[in-house]
């Protein structure tokens, strides 16, 4: 497969990496300027100049977007940005002319952007790379229209802010705010308003739009337009020459300072759907744009030849172009278009699978049919793409036999979109039927149904170490960092090899690939001590062999930008590369002391970690495991106290832990100026083995105040030398025992148990043995159990003669191999009582 | 009510033409006036004026008759002009054991009824068909005959049909035994009908599960409760007759017919009924209406049940009797009504699952009455007037223009009239100024907002875990739009009931999001749109109404197929018809087919069940919908419904004026459910425009003879305080200056609103709005932060002082803007004296303002 993407459009700061550029003065009129002076004062008072802190945080970019073909100044505010070096752009078309960061003002940096005239419209994902880390991801929106800022007061029609048609307004909707904008239009002129609110990825902002005449008659209104999620598009053809007002508010008057918006107002076209909504890689597709106020029109579009994440196209006509791309599906499937009439099964449009079926549920209650032939046993995936392509359709998919019997049906497998897999039960014609769940329909109810044989697919991911914090890989100079790469496999097994393209110079990568048994693989990144500070977006490629074909998959990383109640995800940004950077040397390095002895199933181990500290650094180091092998668990973290150089991480393996070699990586987290630097250990090999022996516990019953013996049967699994020290744990209060030694040949281990008159009555089921074998000088701890001890009330005093034989039994029984169960003991005692001379009076 | 046939009525018109009566002069209210009222001729002169001037009268003979009957006063001697009624009007006897009682009722020309059964002469035309035992008719042979009843020179024939006169039927468990359990009180909630039974024996509450009762009686503990070998020694009988100790005591004696029936059943093997037993289709209670004069007047009732197979049965001895007002008329266990104090009562009989009732009016003996000389404005006045005449209640006069302006402004728009509105209205000399004011007020958006609020309360519009503020906001706005655009209420109800789609994209779908439980949804629909509370029938047959478990679960089946799924925005829910899902009967377990409450079982095959229900519910033939909504609208303007509580229509809670309610409902349908027109009718009526009376009495208010003093609802009171102080409120989720009636979310908290009993909108019950006064309300007005702060924040006094207004002018303004009237000369003099004594004029005037806002005159609509 050809390279998926050229190098990112990033701009590296010129000059010495260690020389901080001077803070550039921003324009006095910028709304942020006044705030800045306030916290500038705070910063000077509160802290001495930090040397650059790790874990930079980006909170807001203002303005939230810009016009392409222009240069503009932006302010990026957040935390620990004082040593910013670079803006890492995931898309093409935005260059950075200047980046001004000042260690004294870590909460804000400024940049001058140069947006190329051909820069794609819509969101551009960006991270800030600093000397010590990589920030979270945010988006910056690029538009085609000239930009103005909202000017309050503009809360009603009388105070509407006058703007020209063809303007993008950057503004904010605070609590219960209403923003009004006045435009002048000629009769028949298209007035379109589109707001980017939620799509800016800042807050759960749900804008609502209306276009009114100056007498307050609402000509069009929109709250949630499916084409743009919770955002809104509103469009009319002006009924007369005159003034029109665009009103923007939060749909339930619940704005906030983070409810920023970009409102595009103009005569530009704004279709709500494309038909067909996709085509083959590299083909020139005739697309019919639907849902525009001025009616449909067609445009020929050359589709990209290679896969692109979330591909879309901004519709154009003589009046301009839409401000946001309409999604188009790229695939290798042939398009089949619905042929009218198509209202009954008999009129089904015929096609040959595989194919992409395209149509529109144009009227309420409309049902569309397609017919194809399949052989018995053929398996097909039938996937509806409707909401995925921002169609209002809520599909219901049914596959029927030619005679009408339902073979399979689905409603909402993929959100509101339907998906099903079915096996053809016979050689027959099959009907694919699609309709709207609410029996709705309309000109923009476009769908695309992909009917394909089952095909293997691979997508890579970066599992988050902390919920909703997307993974980046900042590698300190002369140190290591690690990440997990996961594989989402469809229809194939086997190993996935990993390749990392476009790593920063001086960074080496080490991984064993993703085995079939594991969903993810640990990847270790090492930066040479002399590696230059720098960053890149790394293309992570997974490769697998599936039968005769080689399968390739790429990274799809989700960044959760906006979440609602209970952290429900509302707005995510997907990216296809992994942000990696070489950062300044970290103050610590950690190593795992590779255990020589194995960790046994059902056993425990202390994993020793040794730290090397840079002189002068004695902060605590928090240690975590990047991942644990299946069946092995550990605590969430262990803290190596300040100044210490060693710590142990407890590992325990459950009885079913996978045996064999495993590789561990320990991460060390150190706090520097409020941020965290993370370093990784090397891979440490850990052998997980079966236990050396297994214990079988009998249930022992004893009366309060009596002694008993717990004889545990020992079955040896594995040879060992020397003796094992065995402790009996889990005894209730007032019950004691003694440790025992177990030699390699022993078949049984016997613990004396002594109770007192106060030993708690009842069943004590938590008896456990800790057996420690020494291998290569290291302890191998087994935790073996569990057994049960029953403590009973003493039986009433028996005749004196009865006690005798019991004592005799105990005496003689001890050396005898055969041990008596409680029941046997009782039977024996009874037999003896019965056999004793009759002492009773007649 | 039924209209009496013209031929039988004591119809004395001639006096009318004489036209010599003294006009009933409402100015004559003194001793002379009372004397005039005693003059019997005055009623006729009143009638004369009514007849000669009212254009609609000739078109309403039915109403006229009623007016005559009720207005007749005590003009006629009791014997003259008697109308004779025999109940039941025809008798069907089937089977050898059949019997039928009858009662004879004589109605005097003045409408007073008498039970003359004992005095009337009854003869049978053919003794071979039936025989008479007192007032009991028993069969002799198959065929037809006639019973003729004569009294006071009149006679009434009663046709009798006898069938299967020789056929005897064994004792049936369901037909004969089960009614005894109810009659004897065995299966009430405090006895064996309790969910856990009593003393180890359980019967289904009011007999909702006869099969279960049969099982428990005969099979649950073998050989204990019944003894087939020695039937008379069955515990069932011994307990019931008190022969052995019984917590419930002796229920009936051994010589009673109940005992005989049970014994006979046991003697014949205590068999279960073979096959289906016909169900009781309906029950009649006779006489349907009584007007009793004086204390201690008796009237025997007769109860007849009609079964599904068409057979009829005299169940007078098996029915349970109940009166809703023993103070006026009590009813004993044998169905004998006895009058007591003057007033109105509703006596009921319950048999099987049916409860039926009759109205009893008790008049004081020998009292005189003169109806007022007042032209009715519209049908409302005619019907209210008719009822008042029936009860001999004189209505209050009309209220003054000032009071009317304030009352109607508060009721329709929720605002106190402004100074300007006040002056314009008072200065207006036109005769129709009240009507024009009503029209103007109905156009105001506040009217829409108030009714959107009223609906939002019924529909429980408030945020929950499943209802985001956005949903609530959109839903509330949708309601306001419906009313602002005058969408007919039937259409609004249909849209709510059949709503599908997203709770954001189609706000009425929130109806199914507020309550997701199928059974509760059904209960809410019945209560909101039909005014019926069916909740009881979830567990047992309704004890005071007709609703059975079957009715309940069959009605719930309409809501069994509602599908819900999360929308793309997680706050949004998509509501759809999933075309699958059923409701099962909790006792029998079978699938319940959808059946309309009190209606047929419609065809729902392949249809959205909700649409079928909505079409029926809002069809003009539906007996509940228009009545229920009309009653709610009426209640809003009168402070009480014709049925009260407004959402508790049931047999045992009859309307205070059934004719009025029926007519309002009929008009509402005729107006295509445009409720503004109904409001217009109401507000234009004299009934609405009556003055309040200091010594107002319950019966007069219940029959709308005088206006009721009503405390302003929390939202409207706060809006009025803000209005008169010229301050703005801030409610969560609404812009500053929004009105309290606009609050979309029931959970919005505000101390003032909570204290004054704002509805939390947690149930559909109309009782959630509280207008009872509490101590904390008074304290909050006196020293809470609302009144004091608003007076200060509004700066009204300072502004008026700055405008160089005199204290007298300021006081006048305060009075007109708060009370809608000028201060009296005395009030003004005393207040000016008060102000003059204070050092600070501003402080003193502020204190007066505070006192006004704390006064009852401000807080109440009167």
């Amino acid at each position: 497969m050809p390279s998926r993407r050229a190098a990112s459009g990033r701009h590296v700061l010129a000059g010495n990496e260690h020389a901080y550029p001077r803070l550039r003065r921003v324009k006095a009129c910028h709304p942020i300027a006044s705030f800045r002076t306030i916290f500038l004062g705070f910063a000077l008072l509160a802290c001495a100049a930090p040397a650059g802190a790790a874990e930079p945080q980006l909170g807001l970019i203002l303005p939230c977007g810009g016009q392409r073909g222009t240069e503009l100044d932006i302010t990026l505010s957040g935390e620990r940005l004082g040593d910013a070096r670079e803006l890492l752009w995931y898309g093409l078309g935005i260059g950075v002319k200047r980046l001004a960061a000042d260690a004294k003002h870590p909460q804000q940096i400024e940049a001058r952007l140069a947006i190329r005239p051909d820069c794609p419209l819509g969101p551009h994902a960006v991270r800030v790379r600093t000397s010590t880390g990589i920030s979270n991801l945010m988006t910056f929106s690029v538009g085609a229209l000239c930009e103005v800022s909202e000017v309050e007061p503009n809360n009603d029609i009388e105070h509407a802010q006058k703007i020209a048609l063809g303007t993008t307004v950057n503004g904010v909707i605070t609590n219960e705010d209403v923003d009004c904008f006045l435009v002048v239009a000629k009769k028949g002129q298209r007035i379109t308003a589109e707001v980017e609110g939620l799509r800016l990825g800042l807050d759960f902002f749900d804008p609502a739009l209306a276009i009114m005449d100056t007498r307050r008659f609402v000509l069009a209104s929109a709250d949630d337009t499916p084409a743009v999620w919770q955002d809104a598009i509103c469009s009319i053809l002006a009924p007369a020459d005159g003034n029109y007002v665009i009103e923007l508010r939060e749909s339930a008057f619940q704005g906030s300072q983070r409810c920023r918006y970009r409102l595009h107002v103009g005569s530009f076209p704004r279709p709500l759907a494309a038909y067909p909504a996709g085509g083959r890689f590299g083909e020139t597709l005739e697309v019919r744009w639907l849902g525009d106020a001025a009616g449909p029109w067609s445009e020929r579009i050359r589709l990209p030849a290679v896969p692109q994440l979330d591909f879309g196209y901004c519709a154009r006509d003589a009046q301009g172009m839409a401000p946001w791309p309409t999604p188009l599906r790229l695939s290798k499937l042939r398009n089949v278009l619905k042929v009218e009439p198509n209202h009954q099964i008999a009129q089904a449009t015929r096609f040959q699978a595989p194919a992409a079926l395209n149509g529109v549920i144009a009227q309420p209650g409309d049902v569309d049919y397609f017919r194809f032939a399949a052989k018995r046993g053929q398996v097909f995936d039938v996937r509806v793409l409707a909401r995925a392509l921002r169609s209002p359709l809520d599909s219901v998919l049914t596959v029927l036999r030619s005679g009408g019997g339902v073979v399979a049906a689905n409603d909402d497998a993929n959100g509101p979109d339907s998906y099903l897999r079915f096996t053809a039960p016979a050689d027959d014609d099959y009907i694919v039927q699609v309709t709207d769940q609410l029996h709705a329909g309309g000109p923009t109810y476009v769908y695309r149904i992909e009917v394909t044989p089952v095909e293997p697919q691979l997508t890579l991911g970066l599992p988050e170490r902390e919920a909703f914090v997307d993974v980046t890989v900042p590698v300190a100079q002369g140190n290591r960092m690690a990440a997990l790469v996961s594989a989402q496999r469809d229809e194939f097994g086997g190993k996935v090899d990993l390749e990392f393209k476009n790593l920063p110079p001086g960074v080496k990568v080490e991984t064993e690939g993703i085995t079939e048994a594991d969903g993810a693989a640990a990847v270790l990144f090492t930066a040479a001590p002399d590696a230059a500070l720098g960053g890149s977006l790394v293309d992570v490629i997974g490769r697998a062999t599936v039968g005769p074909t080689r399968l390739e998959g790429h990274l799809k990383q989700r960044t959760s930008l906006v979440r609602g109640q209970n952290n429900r995800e509302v707005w995510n940004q997907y990216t296809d590369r992994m942000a990696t950077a070489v950062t300044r040397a970290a103050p610590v390095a950690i190593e795992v002391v590779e255990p020589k002895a194995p960790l046994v199933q059902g056993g425990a181990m202390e994993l020793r970690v040794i730290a090397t500290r840079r002189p002068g650094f004695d902060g605590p180091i928090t240690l975590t495991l990047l991942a644990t092998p299946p069946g092995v668990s550990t605590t969430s973290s262990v803290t190596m106290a300040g100044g210490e150089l060693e710590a142990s991480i407890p590992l325990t393996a459950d009885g079913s832990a996978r045996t064999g070699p495993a590789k561990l990586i320990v991460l060390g987290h150190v706090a520097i100026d409020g941020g965290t630097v993370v370093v990784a250990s090397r891979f440490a090999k850990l052998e997980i083995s079966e236990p050396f022996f297994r214990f079988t516990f009998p249930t022992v019953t004893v009366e309060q105040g009596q002694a008993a013996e717990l004889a545990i049967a020992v079955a040896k699994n594995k040879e060992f030398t020397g003796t094992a020290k065995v402790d009996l744990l889990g005894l209730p209060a007032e019950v004691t025992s003694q440790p025992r030694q177990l030699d390699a040949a022993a078949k049984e281990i016997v613990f004396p148990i002594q109770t007192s008159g106060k030993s708690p009555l009842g069943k004590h089921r938590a008896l456990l043995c800790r057996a420690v074998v020494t291998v290569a000088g290291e302890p191998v701890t087994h935790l073996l159990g569990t057994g049960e001890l029953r403590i009973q009330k003493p039986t009433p005093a028996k005749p004196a003669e009865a006690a005798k034989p019991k004592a005799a039994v105990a005496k003689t029984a001890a050396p005898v191999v055969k041990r008596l169960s409680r029941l046997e003991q009782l039977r024996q005692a009874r037999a003896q009582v019965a056999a004793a001379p009759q002492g009773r009076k007649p | 009510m039924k209209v009496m046939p013209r031929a039988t009525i004591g119809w004395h018109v001639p006096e009318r033409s004489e036209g010599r009566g003294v006009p009933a002069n409402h100015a004559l209210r003194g001793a002379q006036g009372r004397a005039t009222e005693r003059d019997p001729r005055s009623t006729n002169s009143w009638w004369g004026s009514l007849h000669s001037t009212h254009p609609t009268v000739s078109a309403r003979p039915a109403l006229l008759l009623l007016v005559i009957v009720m207005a007749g006063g005590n003009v006629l001697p009791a014997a003259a002009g008697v109308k004779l009624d025999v109940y039941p009007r025809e008798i069907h006897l089937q089977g050898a054991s059949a019997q039928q009682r009858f009662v004879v009722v004589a109605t005097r020309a003045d409408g007073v009824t008498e039970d003359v059964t004992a005095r009337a002469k009854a003869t049978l035309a053919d003794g071979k068909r039936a025989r008479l035992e007192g007032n009991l008719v028993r069969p002799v042979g198959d065929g037809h005959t006639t019973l003729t009843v004569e009294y006071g020179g009149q006679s009434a024939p009663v046709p009798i049909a006898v069938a299967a006169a020789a056929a005897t039927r064994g004792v049936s468990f369901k037909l004969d035994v089960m009614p005894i359990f109810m009659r004897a009180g065995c299966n009430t909630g405090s006895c064996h009908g309790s969910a856990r039974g009593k003393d180890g024996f359980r019967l289904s509450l009011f007999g909702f599960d006869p099969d279960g009762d049969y099982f428990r009686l005969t099979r649950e503990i073998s050989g204990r409760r019944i003894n087939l070998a020695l039937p008379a020694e069955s515990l069932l009988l011994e307990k019931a007759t008190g022969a052995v100790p019984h917590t419930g005591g002796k229920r009936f004696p051994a010589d009673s017919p109940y005992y005989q029936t049970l014994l006979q059943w046991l003697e014949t093997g205590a068999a279960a009924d073979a096959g289906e037993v016909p169900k009781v289709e309906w029950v009649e209670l006779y006489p349907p209406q009584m007007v009793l004069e004086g204390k201690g007047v008796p009237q025997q009732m007769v109860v007849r049940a009609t079964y599904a197979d068409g057979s009829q049965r005299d169940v007078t001895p098996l029915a349970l009797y109940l009166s809703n007002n023993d103070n006026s008329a009590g009813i004993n266990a044998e169905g004998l009504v006895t009058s007591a104090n003057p007033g109105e009562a509703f006596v009921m009989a319950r048999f099987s699952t049916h409860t039926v009732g009759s109205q009893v009016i008790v008049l004081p003996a020998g009292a005189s009455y003169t109806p007022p000389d007042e032209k009715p404005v519209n049908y409302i006045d005619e019907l209210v007037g008719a009822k008042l005449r029936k009860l001999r209640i004189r209505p209050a006069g009309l209220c003054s223009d000032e009071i009317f302006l304030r009352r109607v402004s508060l009721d329709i728009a929720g605002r106190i009239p402004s100074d300007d509105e006040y002056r314009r209205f008072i200065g207006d000399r036109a005769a129709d100024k009240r009507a024009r004011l009503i029209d103007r007020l109905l156009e105001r958006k506040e009217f829409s907002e108030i009714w959107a609020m009223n609906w939002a309360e019924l529909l429980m519009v408030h945020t929950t875990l499943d209802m985001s503020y956005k949903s609530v906001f959109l839903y509330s706005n949708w309601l306001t739009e419906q009313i602002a655009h005058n969408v007919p209420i039937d259409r609004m109800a249909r849209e709510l009931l059949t709503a599908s789609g997203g709770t954001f994209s189609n706000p009425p779908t929130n109806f199914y999001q507020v309550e997701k439980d199928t059974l509760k949804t059904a209960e809410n629909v019945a209560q909101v749109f039909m005014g019926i509370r069916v909740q009881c029938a979830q567990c047992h047959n309704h004890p005071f109404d007709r609703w059975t478990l079957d009715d309940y679960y069959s009605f719930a089946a309409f809501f069994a197929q509602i599908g819900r799924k999360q929308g793309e925005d997680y706050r949004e829910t998509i509501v759809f018809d999933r075309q699958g899902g059923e409701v099962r009967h909790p006792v029998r377990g079978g699938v319940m087919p959808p059946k309309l409450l009190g209606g047929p079982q419609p065809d729902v095959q392949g249809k959205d069940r909700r649409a079928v229900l909505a079409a029926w519910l809002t069809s003009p033939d539906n007996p509940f919908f228009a009545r229920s909504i009309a009653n709610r609208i009426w209640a809003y303007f009168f402070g009480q419904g014709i049925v009260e509580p407004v959402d508790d229509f049931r047999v045992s809670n009859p309307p205070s004026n059934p004719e009025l309610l029926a007519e309002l409902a009929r008009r509402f349908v005729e107006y295509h459910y445009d409720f503004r027109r109904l409001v217009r009718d109401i507000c234009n009526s004299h009934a609405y425009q009556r003055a309040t009376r200091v010594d107002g009495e319950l019966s007069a208010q219940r029959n709308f003879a005088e206006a009721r003093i009503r405390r302003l609802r929390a939202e409207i009171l706060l809006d009025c305080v803000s209005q008169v102080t010229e301050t703005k409120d801030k409610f969560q989720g609404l812009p500053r200056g929004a009105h309290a009636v606009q609050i979309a979310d029931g959970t919005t908290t505000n101390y003032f609103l909570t204290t004054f009993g704002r509805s939390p909108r947690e149930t559909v019950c109309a009782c959630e709005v509280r207008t009872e006064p509490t101590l904390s309300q008074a304290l909050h007005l006196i020293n809470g932060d609302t009144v004091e702060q608003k007076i200060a924040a509004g700066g009204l006094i300072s502004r008026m002082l700055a405008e160089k207004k005199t204290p007298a002018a300021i006081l006048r303004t305060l009075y007109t803007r708060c009370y809608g009237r000028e201060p009296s000369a005395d009030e003004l003099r005393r207040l000016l004296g008060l102000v003059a004594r204070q050092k600070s004029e501003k402080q003193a005037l502020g204190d007066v303002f505070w006192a006004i806002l704390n006064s009852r005159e401000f807080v109440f609509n009167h």
Side-chain angles (χ1 to χ4, degrees), chain A residues 176 204 206 223-224 230 251-254 387 390 394 411-412 437-439 564-565 568 570, chain B residues 469-470 473-474 500-501 504 565-566 568-571 574-576 579 730-731 733-735:
Chain A
E176 291 139 22
F204 194 172
D206 186 355
D223 174 1
D224 299 336
Q230 269 99 286
S251 60
F253 290 104
Q254 294 187 308
R387 198 62 59 84
R390 306 314 309 157
D394 180 352
D411 175 10
D412 281 344
Q437 176 160 44
L438 299 168
H439 313 294
Q565 220 174 23
R568 272 183 279 203
V570 173
Chain B
Y469 180 71
K470 181 173 173 177
F473 183 79
L474 293 173
S500 287
F504 291 174
K565 64 179 188 180
Q566 189 177 301
E568 215 175 6
D569 181 336
Y570 72 83
R571 299 171 301 170
I574 313 286
V575 175
F576 58 95
Q579 294 166 355
K730 172 75 192 79
F731 303 108
L734 289 174

Side-chain angles (χ1 to χ4, degrees), chain A residues 406-423:
Chain A
V406 174
V407 179
N410 181 260
D411 175 10
D412 281 344
N414 290 330
D417 287 347
S418 315
Y419 160 78
L420 59 85
R421 175 173 292 179
F422 83 99
T423 307

Side-chain angles (χ1 to χ4, degrees), chain B residues 380-452:
Chain B
I380 292 175
D381 286 341
E382 288 165 12
L383 293 165
V384 168
K387 177 70 188 292
L388 293 180
R389 284 188 290 279
K390 215 190 267 186
L391 293 169
R392 315 289 198 258
I393 296 175
R394 275 191 68 90
L398 295 189
C399 64
S400 67
D401 276 352
E402 277 102 338
I403 288 177
F404 174 74
L405 173 65
R406 188 176 190 269
R407 181 190 295 171
V408 78
S409 299
L410 282 168
D411 278 342
I412 299 184
R415 316 291 283 164
I416 296 177
S418 69
D419 229 19
D420 186 41
E421 284 167 326
Y422 169 75
R423 290 190 198 293
R424 253 190 301 151
F425 183 73
I426 299 302
D428 191 345
R429 295 277 161 238
D432 64 342
K433 66 175 182 175
R434 290 194 179 191
R436 281 189 291 113
L437 172 68
I438 292 165
D439 290 346
R440 275 202 306 279
L441 288 168
L442 282 173
E443 291 311 308
R444 299 217 350 209
K445 76 175 178 57
E446 285 91 346
F447 175 76
S448 310
E449 286 167 358
I450 287 175
W451 281 92

Side-chain angles (χ1 to χ4, degrees), chain A residues 709 711 748 750 808-820 828:
Chain A
E709 285 181 341
E748 185 183 66
V750 181
V809 171
K811 218 186 273 174
T812 52
V816 173
V817 180
K818 164 74 176 162
R819 249 164 240 288
L820 301 183
Q828 204 167 44

Side-chain angles (χ1 to χ4, degrees), chain A residues 96-113:
Chain A
V96 180
K97 285 261 175 157
R98 189 171 61 232
L99 183 69
D102 184 344
K104 289 178 184 161
H105 307 299
Q107 286 167 315
Q108 190 169 314
I109 57 172
E110 318 225 327
R112 185 165 187 82
L113 304 183

